[in-house]
Amino acid sequence: MSFQNPVFIPGPTNMPEALRKAVDMPTLDHRSALFGEILVPARDGVRAVLQSRAAEVFLFPASGTGGWEAAITNTLSPGDRVLTARNGMFSQRWIDMCQRHGLTVEIVEVDWGEGIPADRFEEILTADSGHAIKAVLATHNETATGVRSDIAAVRRAMDVAGHPALLFVDGVSSIGSMEFRMDDWGVDIAVTGSQKGFMLPAGLAILGVSARAMAAIDTARLPRTYFDLRDMAAGHAANGYPYTPPVGLLNGLKESTRMLLDEGLEAVFARHHRIAEGVRAAVRAWGLPLCAAREALYSDTVSAIRTPDGFDAGRIVAHAAEAYGVAFGGGLGQVAGKVFRIGHLGSLTETMALSGIATVEMAMADLGLNIRLGSGVAAAQAVYRKPGAAADAVA
Ligand SMILES: *Cc1c(COP(=O)(O)O)cnc(C)c1O
């Protein structure tokens, strides 16, 4: 690996210099008023990025996985039913966690490459007239397959069924990069981490919690201590923590949310879409299919690309790392060896994306795949170039 090259894994993402500096702080007394000047804007910034007016924001020292655990242990009781779809490795891991916590998970099996079937959810929730299902779990962006599901459609399905279950959304690889509307979609708990859209090192589990989910805390009986939202709420109310917080990361989050909001969320989403469109143009030029089954499911943060039958996709990742010092993502679970992944989220420009496309093209050609050098780069250039602007400059 070379530290000069950007990474193209779907998290952790590339860190802007300003955020690396923000994270690098001298020791500060987290019980002093100074800490509030970091925590308050960090929490307000996250709430704005979630497009929520009133969500309670909690920042745990953990990774995104800890956020899943905080969501379920604070709101559910042993034996409670939850409804979810399994369409990739991340939805699978959340299911596994629920089962290990003694929850009864109703799983809708979906082909890896498909999204959450809101129509099936509607049928199941309508049939659940006794409201035994306490929560619906949705992975917004399945990072293993490059599939974005329609959370607004999941919310509509719940509303049409008139079902009162809570809606928990894993937005670890979408929040801060793709449209996410916590309030408009009626999300009760949104979960993410610091190392993807927020462009920071791993180490923070970030949660937005609705008033309805907060109200479920007192009756929920799953054991929790470190992740108890009541302790954290008491800490945050006094601009502090029930234990020692990672001050540098929180300072990074304060700066990161400011960067995202200064760029403008719509502009951030548009940038990710444009970069993703270039990557997808390259993939088409290579003649390789995406794992995502349809255009409506295409993720703007990660593309999982299928390689020809009999070819181990992991070889591309290994060769790109070894020969060119560039990191791409491998396949996970059911699609291990069948796909490789290009992460295109976080701090990324079109020029950086072109370097990744050019590199993976070399790696594939080196390994004997039928890839014409420059084909993907040219296709992405056609998406990225701005001839009008150049003409203006000359004139
Ligand atoms: C990365 C990721 C996670 C796991 O986050 P960690 O920070 O590694 O615990 C969960 N869900 C999705 C969709 C992810 O992309």
Side-chain angles (χ1 to χ4, degrees):
M1 284 299 147
S2 159
F3 285 120
Q4 277 185 295
N5 294 329
V7 295
F8 295 94
I9 46 178
T13 61
N14 299 292
M15 281 186 272
E17 201 54 28
L19 294 188
R20 290 187 55 196
K21 288 183 173 144
V23 167
D24 182 2
M25 283 190 78
T27 302
L28 175 155
D29 178 6
H30 61 278
R31 300 189 194 285
S32 71
L34 213 49
F35 181 61
E37 291 173 29
I38 295 172
L39 183 62
V40 172
R43 293 180 71 213
D44 289 347
V46 168
R47 190 177 303 105
V49 169
L50 293 173
Q51 308 202 63
S52 176
R53 279 169 303 278
E56 289 287 339
V57 170
F58 296 98
L59 307 170
F60 284 96
S63 75
T65 304
W68 287 344
E69 186 160 330
I72 61 172
T73 57
N74 279 285
T75 55
L76 300 170
S77 299
D80 273 357
R81 292 189 89 79
V82 301
L83 171 65
T84 193
R86 174 156 47 205
N87 66 335
M89 202 60 200
F90 291 92
S91 43
Q92 157 57 25
R93 285 186 186 151
W94 206 3
I95 289 167
D96 174 60
M97 176 187 277
C98 288
Q99 291 171 332
R100 289 205 248 169
H101 276 86
L103 297 170
T104 306
V105 188
E106 179 141 355
I107 305 167
V108 179
E109 296 291 352
V110 180
D111 283 346
W112 288 31
E114 283 290 342
I116 298 171
D119 49 348
R120 274 297 291 143
F121 277 22
E122 185 183 319
E123 287 168 16
I124 292 166
L125 292 167
T126 303
D128 179 36
S129 51
H131 299 160
I133 294 169
K134 298 301 176 201
V136 172
L137 274 46
T139 301
H140 183 203
N141 188 70
E142 189 29 276
T143 317
T145 57
V147 164
R148 168 180 40 189
S149 288
D150 185 347
I151 302 302
V154 173
R155 168 44 70 192
R156 275 196 300 278
M158 297 173 71
D159 290 348
V160 169
H163 202 289
L166 295 165
L167 174 59
F168 299 164
V169 179
D170 172 346
V172 180
S173 62
S174 59
I175 289 169
S177 309
M178 296 193 298
E179 178 167 79
F180 189 93
R181 313 190 72 88
M182 178 157 179
D183 286 2
D184 291 350
W185 298 346
V187 174
D188 289 297
I189 302 188
V191 175
T192 186
S194 47
Q195 79 277 24
K196 296 190 184 171
F198 289 108
M199 308 169 282
L200 292 165
L204 290 175
I206 298 167
L207 291 99
V209 182
S210 75
R212 276 191 73 219
M214 289 300 294
I217 295 176
D218 287 325
T219 49
R221 282 180 291 104
L222 277 179
R224 70 270 193 187
T225 50
Y226 187 83
F227 288 117
D228 199 319
L229 287 180
R230 291 168 297 194
D231 296 337
M232 195 56 102
H236 282 358
N239 290 336
Y241 267 73
Y243 32 68
T244 316
V247 177
L249 275 176
L250 292 165
N251 193 53
L253 188 61
K254 167 184 161 180
E255 290 305 323
S256 152
T257 54
R258 196 191 347 241
M259 277 176 69
L260 291 169
L261 296 167
D262 281 354
E263 184 178 347
L265 292 180
E266 293 307 320
V268 170
F269 304 153
R271 170 168 57 84
H272 280 82
H273 181 68
R274 187 175 166 83
I275 289 173
E277 284 282 289
V279 171
R280 291 190 283 260
V283 173
R284 267 193 305 278
W286 297 330
L288 297 173
L290 286 167
C291 185
R294 283 182 303 289
E295 190 175 342
L297 300 171
Y298 291 170
S299 163
D300 283 342
T301 60
V302 54
S303 295
I305 299 146
R306 288 191 186 275
T307 49
D309 282 345
F311 183 91
D312 176 7
R315 292 175 62 206
I316 296 169
V317 178
H319 182 63
E322 194 182 324
Y324 303 110
V326 179
F328 294 90
L332 301 173
Q334 235 181 64
V335 291
K338 297 185 176 147
V339 307
F340 70 96
R341 295 176 300 155
I342 301 180
H344 35 81
L345 74 161
S347 179
L348 207 64
T349 63
E350 293 158 4
T351 300
M352 289 160 84
L354 285 170
S355 78
I357 293 165
T359 303
V360 82
E361 209 163 68
M362 290 191 286
M364 290 191 290
D366 293 346
L367 295 170
L369 286 175
N370 182 22
I371 299 290
R372 190 162 48 79
L373 288 180
S375 59
V377 172
Q381 285 170 325
V383 173
Y384 296 155
R385 65 191 293 244
K386 300 176 174 78
D392 288 350
V394 171

